[in-house]
Amino acid sequence: METNGFKSLESRYSVPETIDRLEDLLRAKEIKIFIRLDQAAEAQAAGIAMLPMELLIFGYPQTGSPLMVEYPSLAIDLPLKALAWESKEKKVFLSFNSTAYLVERHHLASEPFKAIETLFAGATN
């Protein structure tokens, strides 16, 4: 499902497993993992109940940095992010900004992040 450039793929794995799988796929492509944030754990530490939710921030500086030089506004969306979360219906999703959205938003001349969407699909199936 996609709404306003926000795309979500249903995962057949738990939130941690989905992020583990994505992390493995990214590392295999030598894509740098900057941060893995367990947002539900942080909420719990603040006394707030939250369904499982983890954010992964990642990128490939060799590709992203030249793009930010050419398209400075892209820096607001780089590094890339993926969010695994569990719905009230106990379904797990992996959500991210679609390539088409990033191209349109920043007027990019190509679709440099299209291959990443394939990795997202691999992490959820």
Side-chain angles (χ1 to χ4, degrees):
M1 82 179 108
E2 185 172 346
T3 306
N4 297 326
F6 185 74
K7 197 168 187 176
S8 294
L9 304 175
E10 189 169 348
S11 178
R12 55 187 196 158
Y13 303 98
S14 69
V15 166
E17 288 173 311
T18 299
I19 292 293
D20 286 344
R21 290 173 57 82
L22 179 56
E23 230 181 313
D24 289 345
L25 290 166
L26 292 168
R27 287 186 197 281
K29 298 287 185 185
E30 298 182 355
I31 296 172
K32 185 174 182 172
I33 306 300
F34 293 107
I35 296 173
R36 180 174 177 167
L37 176 61
D38 185 337
Q39 293 177 308
E42 294 299 325
Q44 185 177 11
I48 300 166
M50 179 185 283
L51 290 170
M53 181 182 295
E54 291 191 36
L55 179 71
L56 192 66
I57 300 175
F58 60 93
Y60 191 66
Q62 293 88 331
T63 299
S65 298
L67 285 169
M68 287 186 282
V69 168
E70 188 172 352
Y71 305 96
S73 67
L74 189 57
I76 196 72
D77 288 312
L78 293 182
L80 295 172
K81 297 157 208 67
L83 177 70
W85 56 282
E86 184 178 300
S87 71
K88 291 176 185 174
E89 297 78 25
K90 302 294 182 197
K91 293 182 178 180
V92 173
F93 295 91
L94 184 64
S95 300
F96 51 93
N97 287 325
S98 73
T99 297
Y101 169 77
L102 293 172
V103 167
E104 181 181 331
R105 181 174 183 180
H106 301 287
H107 310 288
L108 305 180
S110 65
E111 294 187 337
F113 311 112
K114 194 68 176 168
I116 296 295
E117 288 195 28
T118 303
L119 298 179
F120 293 151
T124 60
N125 292 321

